[in-house]
Amino acid sequence: MPMDRTMNVLIVDDYKTMLRIIRNLLKQLDFNNVEEATDGAEALAKLRAGHFGLVISDWNMEPMTGLDLLKEVRADARLKHLPFIMITAESKTENVVAAKQAGVSNYIVKPFNAETLREKIEKVLVHA
């Protein structure tokens, strides 16, 4: 099944530069319907108001972390099946385990490139 590149993707990061980087990488992969949120609460509001096919969120955010956001998404009946990719600078095992237990779809460790992002998105969307 080919990837639906027209779907809405929500990227969440409290660091504007990182949002721009991820948006550019997604553009290289032909994902052009990209919305941004700069914190977990804003992300949740957008997710609940709209229709998204994928969330790509940074882990380290204040006041709501990417892990908190993931838990909220998984606890929401309408959103719980949404593919969710977590981006982090930490590859610590306990973080990976915590994210897996919370129901993360996939995990990307910074720094990463378009190819890595494509692989992770394909894994999440094609093999869902």
Side-chain angles (χ1 to χ4, degrees), residues 38-50:
T38 51
D39 63 58
E42 184 191 351
L44 262 185
K46 286 193 173 189
L47 289 170
R48 288 179 171 143

Side-chain angles (χ1 to χ4, degrees), residues 1-83:
M1 186 183 114
M3 257 196 299
D4 174 13
R5 287 185 160 85
T6 62
M7 72 167 64
N8 292 322
V9 180
L10 183 65
I11 54 179
V12 192
D13 200 313
D14 56 2
Y15 190 48
K16 287 270 199 287
T17 305
M18 199 61 207
L19 285 173
R20 204 160 50 238
I21 291 167
I22 299 168
R23 180 185 281 276
N24 287 339
L25 291 175
L26 285 166
K27 200 177 217 95
Q28 286 175 37
L29 301 173
D30 294 325
F31 286 94
N32 293 306
N33 298 326
V34 178
E35 276 197 51
E36 299 176 358
T38 51
D39 63 58
E42 184 191 351
L44 262 185
K46 286 193 173 189
L47 289 170
R48 288 179 171 143
H51 289 282
F52 291 90
L54 175 65
V55 180
I56 301 174
S57 175
D58 188 47
W59 181 303
N60 298 310
M61 296 185 295
E62 297 288 334
M64 184 192 253
T65 65
L67 189 63
D68 294 335
L69 173 61
L70 172 61
K71 288 175 177 171
E72 288 283 337
V73 166
R74 291 296 177 247
D76 187 309
R78 214 171 59 81
L79 302 174
K80 67 179 182 201
H81 299 300
L82 192 60

Side-chain angles (χ1 to χ4, degrees), residues 54-57 83-87 106-108 120-121 124:
L54 175 65
V55 180
I56 301 174
S57 175
F84 195 114
I85 296 176
M86 188 84 76
I87 295 175
N106 218 315
Y107 202 87
I108 301 178
K120 300 283 182 171
I121 291 174
V124 166

